DNA sequence: AACTTCGATGTAAACGGTTACATATTATGG
DNA sequence: CCATAATATGTAACCGTTTACATCGAAGTT
């Protein structure tokens, strides 16, 4: 029994002869290793739990790639679940993952300042928030400065001469990233002396399918915007599709900026101007931080890292053509 | 101990008074349920393993949604891993999932006729192949008729008067779906009396980023195609992006048909003509079949279900404008 | 040859639930 | 009020691995 365990985990510790004996026995009773029993015994799953808001936005897929690569490099698995932008689901899934004894957690949640932060800190399982901009709090984080991202995106539009700049925002309730990007949008407006027209800000649920109504609300006002800043690329692409349906041309009639720089954004027509996040690197860093905390044990203090973003100008934005 | 177990699994079986006593004790020693121990003891994880080829193509996300919904409806979790279109990874991941004692498996693999089928059949864990077109074999399957899908897509182009129809195919080695769609493409060509020009068929790895070279190869021939059938919507969108880079207009210069009808396809410009797969339903059916087999035990026979697809005509295809 | 040392192998407890079965408690009927 | 049935609770074995520790055997030392 013990020798079999040794055989499996460090074959060099058992004599060649015994090794052979074991190999045969294994063949004989076509034995299959029981990972669950191992976990039960060691209390280590070699698994990192990942909670993402949705599987349909490929930013999360891209960061997952970085996460996955780094994890496998260290012999860890990734257990991914999606919460569908539902904060109740987030808590439920975190509990599920903790019950399943994941060694660490990486999560993108609607509100990293909410009760979930305490839950995580109490659980004693290393965790890091991904994508959010945090500078404090009991659980670590890695992201970009979403407020500055929003500021930069809006500034780009203002630089092009736009004055009626709308924001097509993902619902703040389900994403603090969207809220921070909105903060940056506001700051830019006030820096430029532009008025913040509440009619030019609409919040919609995440997902392409909700863009229609949002764009309609924006464009059917008395004084419609000449530029739209969308919370993410998916919504920007959705918005462009809707604008086209309304007979408007991007960027001639309306400029559009997105956020994330999803691969798709450089293939759509027109190619999307956007804020690039270093998502692959973010994913990598997140697992590094988890493994780091795992190494340190209890006495590790939360860290908050903020990576650089970058404005990528493509075809969906243009100078305001004054009528 | 036993009462605690009862308390957790069927509270109605313990007296209110005892229930209270247990609740307090749980509070006291802030007990956390250990799912791994339960699994170890019961040999049931209430989990279905899911192997997908990539996380960046949203078809898989969409089918996963159906899968997830049906699974949770029956109290099952989904454990998703992606193989990145690598057949070695597929085998490795299947072994991993089996070691983790998943109760059933749903998988989309490069070749459902390959050795993995035997492995699965031998393992004794219920499994179903998703997306592939199978009519026999030891493991169940649910998909559409990919050959007919390819035929229908190509026929649509032929009906529009196109004679030089290219196929931008995902590498056959990594996807039998692509191969079947190609078979349909060939059948259409021969039915119409069109010659199958090998220069008009290129295989590329999956992913937007590989479309550039594929389209270049196609368009830089002496007699370039007037229509392109792509293995999936992602590649179709990639192709449209590349065609635009070459100064060609879709559909005026070149018509493009995709496959899958991913949500994004109705938002890009021009909106993509494609073959719709009932992906949500496919996901649901797959877990139903797994749970069904789980119910029957050993004596369940493999089933192969083929659902209907549908040609969705949008803006990316047009009649051949004869020069 | 006896003693020490060291590596290889065997033994048994432990991990935390579940569950069959034994026992205790409560309800029911005569 | 007792016998009996029904229901609630307690007991202990079990799942398959790891791991600390015991034991064994071979090689090296005196």
């Amino acid at each position: 029994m013990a020798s079999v365990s040794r055989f499996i985990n460090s074959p060099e510790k058992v004599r060649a002869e015994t090794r052979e004996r074991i190999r045969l026995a294994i063949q004989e009773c076509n034995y299959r290793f029981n990972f669950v029993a191992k976990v039960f015994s060691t209390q280590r799953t070699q698994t990192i739990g990942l909670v993402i808001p949705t599987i349909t936005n490929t930013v999360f897929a891209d960061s997952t790639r970085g996460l996955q690569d780094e994890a496998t490099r260290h012999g860890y698995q990734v257990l991914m679940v999606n919460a569908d932008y539902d904060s109740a689901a987030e808590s439920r899934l975190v509990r599920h993952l903790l019950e399943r004894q994941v060694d660490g957690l990486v999560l993108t949640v609607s509100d990293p300042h909410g009760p979930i932060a305490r839950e995580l800190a109490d659980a004693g399982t290393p965790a890091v928030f991904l994508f959010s901009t945090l500078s404090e709090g009991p659980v670590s984080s890695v992201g970009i400065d979403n407020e500055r991202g929003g500021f930069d995106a809006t500034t780009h539009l203002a630089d092009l001469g736009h004055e009626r700049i709308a924001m097509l925002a993902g619902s703040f309730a389900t994403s603090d990233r969207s809220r921070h990007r909105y903060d940056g949008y506001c700051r830019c407006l006030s820096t430029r002396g532009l008025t913040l027209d509440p009619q030019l800000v609409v919040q919609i649920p995440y997902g392409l399918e909700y863009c229609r109504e949002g764009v309609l609300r924006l464009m059917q006002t008395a004084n419609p915007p000449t530029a739209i800043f969308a919370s993410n690329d998916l919504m920007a692409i959705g918005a462009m599709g809707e604008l086209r349906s309304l007979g408007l041309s991007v960027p001639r009639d309306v400029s559009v900026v997105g956020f994330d720089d999803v691969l798709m954004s450089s293939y759509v027509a027109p190619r999307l101007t956007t804020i690039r996040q270093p998502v692959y690197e973010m994913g990598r860093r997140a697992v590094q931080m988890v493994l780091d905390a795992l190494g340190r044990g209890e006495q590790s203090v939360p860290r908050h890292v903020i990576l650089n973003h970058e404005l990528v100008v493509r075809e969906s934005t243009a100078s305001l053509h004054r009528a």
Side-chain angles (χ1 to χ4, degrees), chain A:
Chain A
M1 205 69 267
S3 282
V4 176
S5 181
R6 280 185 281 264
F7 170 77
I8 285 163
N9 297 306
S10 37
E12 74 283 359
K13 292 206 167 176
V14 353
R15 234 176 355 153
E17 186 209 326
T18 324
R19 217 143 49 197
E20 198 46 39
R21 203 150 51 88
I22 291 172
R23 198 200 320 285
L24 287 173
I26 283 178
Q27 289 271 321
E28 189 82 28
C29 17
N30 69 332
Y31 161 89
R32 167 157 284 144
F33 184 78
N34 186 330
F35 182 76
V36 173
K38 177 194 186 128
V39 168
F40 175 57
S41 166
T42 58
Q43 314 280 56
R44 279 267 165 280
T45 47
Q46 301 285 90
T47 298
I48 292 173
L50 171 65
V51 181
I52 59 177
T54 180
I55 191 187
T56 47
N57 186 338
T58 50
V59 231
F60 298 112
D62 295 337
S63 65
T64 299
R65 193 175 291 275
L67 208 140
Q68 204 113 244
D69 286 354
E70 188 69 10
T72 49
R73 228 166 59 77
H74 292 89
Y76 278 76
Q77 291 275 309
V78 175
L79 206 172
M80 172 171 46
V81 295
N82 67 331
D84 277 316
Y85 284 107
D86 172 352
S87 66
E90 288 163 4
S91 294
R92 192 163 38 78
L93 292 170
V94 165
R95 253 195 313 281
H96 254 113
L97 291 171
L98 289 175
E99 280 184 358
R100 277 162 194 256
Q101 311 279 102
V102 293
D103 297 340
L105 280 164
V106 175
L107 7 87
T108 303
V109 297
S110 44
D111 180 14
H113 295 288
I116 207 164
R118 270 262 65 78
E119 282 179 48
L120 287 166
D122 291 345
T125 302
V128 3
F129 286 131
L130 191 56
F131 282 99
S132 292
T133 317
L134 269 68
S135 53
E136 40 149 42
V139 1
S140 295
S141 69
V142 16
I144 59 154
D145 186 334
N146 285 292
E147 196 272 349
R148 266 203 31 216
F151 179 84
D152 293 347
T154 316
T155 297
H156 168 65
L157 294 171
D159 285 346
L160 289 169
H162 293 277
E163 297 185 339
R164 291 198 59 76
I165 302 174
M167 179 159 182
L168 183 64
S171 149
F172 297 157
T174 58
S175 161
D176 72 313
R177 283 92 60 206
S178 182
R179 143 77 66 189
H180 280 133
R181 290 167 199 174
Y182 170 73
D183 291 344
Y185 161 85
C186 293
R187 180 161 64 88
C188 169
L189 258 41
S190 84
T191 306
R192 295 304 185 106
L194 300 171
T195 52
L196 172 64
D197 181 348
Q199 285 213 311
L200 291 189
V201 178
V202 301
Q203 282 182 58
I204 56 172
Y206 276 90
L208 274 174
E209 53 278 47
Y210 304 103
C211 292
R212 153 163 279 266
E213 202 218 320
V215 169
L216 247 43
R217 284 232 301 277
L218 247 24
M219 301 313 292
Q220 289 178 343
T221 53
N223 192 1
T226 62
I228 298 178
F229 166 40
S231 264
N232 65 37
D233 283 2
L234 221 60
M235 284 164 55
I237 293 172
M240 293 199 299
E242 265 334 295
L243 288 168
R244 201 149 32 85
S245 296
L246 296 174
L248 295 166
S249 154
V250 177
R252 212 192 42 213
D253 301 319
V254 182
S255 286
V256 174
V257 190
F259 207 109
D260 289 342
D261 195 21
V262 144
L263 188 55
M264 180 67 73
S265 299
S266 38
Y267 285 85
V268 293
R271 299 176 207 285
L272 187 65
T273 295
T274 189
I275 301 285
R276 174 182 299 158
Q277 301 199 62
V279 282
Y280 185 90
E281 180 63 14
M282 283 160 63
R284 283 189 26 147
R285 290 293 279 275
V287 331
Q288 281 170 3
M289 287 165 67
V290 165
L291 296 182
D292 213 58
L294 226 35
R296 285 190 212 295
E298 289 302 314
Q299 76 278 16
S300 88
V301 292
R303 286 172 49 211
H304 299 281
V305 354
I306 290 181
L307 302 177
N308 292 323
H309 61 268
E310 180 191 357
L311 174 72
V312 181
V313 179
R314 296 206 186 93
E315 305 164 354
S316 68
T317 49
S319 317
L320 179 63
H321 181 296
R322 286 172 197 281

